[in-house]
Amino acid sequence: MSRVLVVNTGSSSIKYQLFEMDGPKTLASGLVERIGEAGAKLTHRAGDAEPLVVEERVADHSEGFERVFSAFETAGGPITELAGIGHRVVHGGDRLTEPTLIDDEAVAAIADQAPLAPLHNPSNLLGIRIAMASFPDTPQVAVFDTAFHQTMPPRAYRYALPAELARDLRIRRYGFHGTSHAYVARKAAEHLGRPAAEVNLITLHLGNGASAAAVQGGRCIDTSMGLTPLEGLVMGTRSGDLDPAVVFYLHREAGLSVDDIDDLLNKRSGMLGLAGANDMREVARLVGDGDEAAAEALDVYCYRIRKYVGAYAAALGRLDALIFTAGIGENNDAVRAGVCQGLEGLGIRLDARRNKGRSAKPRTISADDSQVAVLVVPTNEELEIAQQTLAVVTGQARPASLEAAEP
Ligand code: ADP
């Protein structure tokens, strides 16, 4: 019994991956997209075989899960020998701070956080309920995107709002992408050959969503996303930081409703708003074609990250390594160069040739004389969820901070 199924249930999608934990190795993975919409599609990969693709309407999530189970029957064999099922849950609030074995109480607690993540937690819960009904004898574990950041001190997580109001409504910085920040922070310490408890890192998760975290001795002390994933860095379609008064101004001057502004800042801003394209490969193509708006957008993108690096270097007091991860962080050398540009004063010096290299493994891209190591560490949130799930079901739960996890 050493297999773990990892499930990430979104509002119109189900992503999954089956791991053999001795190794560890991926046995199968896949995605059901556009559930309840036109153009639904299942893509299932098992071993080295050609992917199985089924393009058929999927009415709801229950039907989506049935498709997934029958895909396993067709390619790769039924799901057996499961030690546990790990569910990605976006918001754990300030109560769910560790990977949690799912029982009725945990389900109620996850439901309690729904107002903080109305687009995510209800779908995550739906996936949990369906998986519990399909595998009633298999332990199920919830792994929270927010958990790693729960070690932040109040000075980092509090907003300067009336204290009682913030407390009653639970308005504070929570942070997201925690599974990824935790995974790459641990991998970076391994790559540096030093105990996680001894190194100070800034981790930059740059994907469609993007966030930075300051990790001191294995504990997160600050992160750029806030109450929701809207705060912080410039993202594919999210604005990141702006003057909150922009919201009132948009309402008063442009007559936009709260929902319009929510949609504008989350789905139509960021690189899409600045450059007309949210995918960084497309932005790079536009820059190559001499598009000035795209070049300026890229400058805004990198400058925002650079400001956070400076801020987190100050928060940490001493910086040992800067870590790039996720789609853009792992693959876009121009962004990495743009972020590190002018940071020599902080001891950050890239090696241009190393920066252009590629590898599926963690690697150093800083110059030999750089005081701060700059690393590219491929993230693997699914594997991190699988490992945390196994740790919970075998009674060896890993604490949220990496420090206490050191042997
Ligand atoms: P998500 O947040 O959806 O998981 P990813 O981590 O896959 O997103 O990141 C998506 C971003 O990464 C896109 O902007 C895309 O352009 C960029 N990206 C992904 N793969 C590559 C690649 N091979 N080369 C350059 N950019 C890439």
Side-chain angles (χ1 to χ4, degrees), residues 207-209 278-281 326-328 331:
N208 280 318
N278 65 298
D279 191 295
M280 208 47 114
R281 282 169 285 203
I328 296 165
N331 297 297

Side-chain angles (χ1 to χ4, degrees), residues 141-381:
V141 174
V143 177
F144 303 96
D145 261 20
T146 48
F148 182 59
H149 304 302
Q150 280 294 313
T151 50
M152 282 185 291
R155 64 171 172 255
Y157 73 68
R158 287 195 67 178
Y159 294 122
L161 292 170
E164 206 171 316
L165 180 78
R167 193 189 58 226
D168 290 351
L169 291 171
R170 297 191 281 157
I171 303 172
R172 50 161 284 178
R173 175 182 311 287
Y174 291 100
F176 299 87
H177 293 142
T179 311
S180 177
H181 288 291
Y183 179 83
V184 300
R186 191 170 49 249
K187 286 279 166 195
E190 275 172 32
H191 179 77
L192 295 168
R194 296 174 64 183
E198 282 178 16
V199 286
N200 286 355
L201 311 170
I202 296 175
T203 48
L204 300 171
H205 176 109
L206 310 176
N208 280 318
S211 63
V215 184
Q216 187 167 52
R219 297 163 66 85
C220 175
I221 60 158
D222 206 347
T223 191
S224 58
M225 284 178 166
L227 173 75
T228 78
L230 184 56
E231 192 178 346
L233 307 181
V234 176
M235 311 183 207
T237 64
R238 297 191 194 117
S239 62
D241 293 337
L242 41 75
D243 179 349
V246 169
V247 174
F248 324 134
Y249 191 80
L250 283 169
H251 174 65
R252 292 188 190 118
E253 290 299 312
L256 299 184
S257 69
V258 169
D259 287 345
D260 292 338
I261 300 170
D262 190 329
D263 187 73
L264 177 79
L265 298 182
N266 275 295
K267 300 194 180 146
R268 293 187 281 134
S269 298
M271 295 307 279
L272 180 64
L274 288 169
N278 65 298
D279 191 295
M280 208 47 114
R281 282 169 285 203
E282 177 64 7
V283 175
R285 198 187 59 72
L286 291 168
V287 173
D289 288 349
D291 187 305
E292 284 179 20
E296 192 170 278
L298 196 59
D299 200 25
V300 173
Y301 183 90
C302 294
Y303 177 68
R304 181 77 55 84
I305 299 171
R306 212 180 309 146
K307 282 208 292 190
Y308 270 92
V309 171
Y312 288 174
L316 290 164
R318 185 199 79 226
L319 177 62
D320 297 306
L322 176 65
I323 321 297
F324 286 91
T325 195
I328 296 165
E330 291 167 29
N331 297 297
N332 194 315
D333 57 274
V335 165
R336 293 193 298 257
V339 169
C340 294
Q341 188 189 335
L343 292 185
E344 292 79 10
L346 289 182
I348 295 172
R349 193 181 292 279
L350 270 195
D351 178 286
R353 192 183 52 82
R354 289 176 188 162
N355 184 36
K356 286 203 181 289
R358 286 187 165 263
S359 167
K361 296 211 174 103
R363 67 184 203 275
T364 302
I365 58 168
S366 43
D368 291 339
D369 65 351
S370 183
Q371 271 168 23
V372 174
V374 184
L375 312 183
V376 176
V377 179
T379 194
N380 193 336
E381 290 164 278

Side-chain angles (χ1 to χ4, degrees), residues 93-149:
D94 51 7
R95 287 170 219 159
L96 298 161
T97 59
E98 304 284 339
T100 302
L101 194 64
I102 301 173
D103 53 16
D104 291 346
E105 202 183 323
V107 166
I110 295 167
D112 264 0
Q113 316 307 320
L116 294 169
L119 296 179
H120 294 108
N121 274 33
S123 327
N124 301 156
L125 260 185
L126 192 57
I128 288 171
R129 290 203 166 100
I130 297 170
M132 285 176 89
S134 305
F135 292 88
D137 301 324
T138 304
Q140 318 237 351
V141 174
V143 177
F144 303 96
D145 261 20
T146 48
F148 182 59
H149 304 302

